[in-house]
Each structure stands twice: as C-alpha cells, then as structure tokens.
Amino acid sequence: MLDRAEFRSEYVARGDEAIELVHARRFDLIVARFPLVGAGLAELVRAVRADGGPSRGASFLLLAEPEHVSDVGTFLGRGIGRIVSLDAPSERLVDAVADLLAVAPRRALRAIVEVRLPAQHGGGQLLALTHNISENGLLLAGVPGLPIGATLSFELSLPGVAAPIRGEAEVVRHTDPTREKVDGIGARIISFVGDGHERLQAFLTRPHHP
C-alpha cells in the first residue's frame, strides 16, 4: 500500500537506530514493534515528539505482541496514534495505516477544487488545485497554511464527471515542498454530499491514460 501511495520507506532493527533517524529526518509515519530492542518505548516516543524535531508531526503506529497490548495502552493518545496487536487480522493493520496517513490508492490528477474555509480561519472561498486524489483524501496546492485538524468544505470538479463532488475534509498534514514539489496540504475526506463517494470511486477505478 505504501508503494502504491508513492511513499519511501526505511527499516531499522533497533530502537536506538530509530531514535537517531527521527532526530535527523522528517517522517510521515513511524511503525514500531513492541517490545523494542536497543531503546525503551518511552524514549522513542520522546524522540519523535521532541519540540522542534523534524518528525514531531509524524503519525505513530505501534505493533504489539498480544501479551503486551495492555502494557502499552497508556501511550495511546500520548504520542502514539494507534496500537495494533500482532495477532490481529492483516486488514486491521492496513486500515490503521490508511487512517493515520489518510491515504488510499491514488491517482495523480490536476483538477480544480473550490474550497470553503472555516470561519475561524477567515471564512470565504478559494480555488485550489489537486496534486493527487484518492477515495478518502486530497493533496491540495494553493491552500493557505491551515492548522492540522481544521475542517473545510470542498467542491471537486473532475474531468468527465457531470456534477461536482462535494463534501468535507480534515487537514491531516502539511506538504514538504522540497521533497514533494508541491506547497499545500493533505486532507482526509470525512463526509460526502449525496452519492459523491460512489461517483469518486467510479472515477478512480475506470481505465485512464496518461
């Protein structure tokens, strides 16, 4: 799934190696297996969430041995966004990763989106451009730096789709313009108006050409 979403992934075998990495570089998602080797879980969480650290905003998924799930529950919401037992169905892991990254198989597409900003962030409307889209998320260029967690309304005009797709989305991350070549936001779609979800799914799954 990460390959399809065009993420680059790295693997290290030890917690102390992971701590060095998160101090040095920015990551969108950290997946750790508990118990850790080479560092304590609290130590790794502190490194990830350190003030000013490059990975402070990363999502954090912990895979725990079944007998240790209850031991690490206190970290949920305190530096770790999701805990999944290693004996859980694989679909649960996939769903957790997708939720934390707000990704699904996506299509690179330049399409116009009319965005209505929340009142606490100035209100009003503006036009943005999609960089890519999935059935549960949008990567938008041309949107001012809304804080993570802000909710916005959108109206997405897709080629070959008669009526715009409308709904609401939540800002889940800010892009890295240097790495991603786009200055904008990643937003998770939280609701659709009418049959918008079905029409977006149909658009994404139909054959297309460069």
Side-chain angles (χ1 to χ4, degrees), residues 137-138 140 149-154 167-171 187-191:
L138 305 164
L140 300 176
T151 301
L152 51 85
S153 300
F154 69 88
E168 289 194 335
E170 177 188 11
V171 179
R188 177 176 66 92
I189 299 174
I190 55 179
S191 66

Side-chain angles (χ1 to χ4, degrees), residues 36 45 55 77 79 98 100 108 113 118 133 135-136 146 196:
L36 298 174
V45 171
S55 294
L100 290 172
V113 183
I133 63 174
E135 66 177 83
N136 62 13
L146 295 174

Side-chain angles (χ1 to χ4, degrees), residues 80-157:
I80 291 178
R82 194 70 59 88
I83 299 172
V84 176
S85 173
L86 282 165
D87 65 353
S90 59
E91 293 82 2
R92 189 172 302 171
L93 173 59
V94 172
D95 289 345
V97 171
D99 286 346
L100 290 172
L101 289 174
V103 301
R106 37 181 161 168
R107 179 189 290 192
L109 178 73
R110 304 297 183 268
I112 296 296
V113 183
E114 185 174 308
V115 176
R116 184 184 296 274
L117 302 177
Q120 61 268 38
H121 300 295
Q125 294 177 317
L126 57 83
L127 293 180
L129 190 67
T130 63
H131 189 73
N132 58 51
I133 63 174
S134 73
E135 66 177 83
N136 62 13
L138 305 164
L139 187 60
L140 300 176
V143 179
L146 295 174
I148 291 174
T151 301
L152 51 85
S153 300
F154 69 88
E155 183 174 297
L156 172 64
S157 299

Side-chain angles (χ1 to χ4, degrees), residues 67-87:
E67 64 270 24
H68 291 294
V69 169
S70 60
D71 300 336
V72 295
T74 55
F75 285 92
L76 190 62
R78 298 179 177 179
I80 291 178
R82 194 70 59 88
I83 299 172
V84 176
S85 173
L86 282 165
D87 65 353

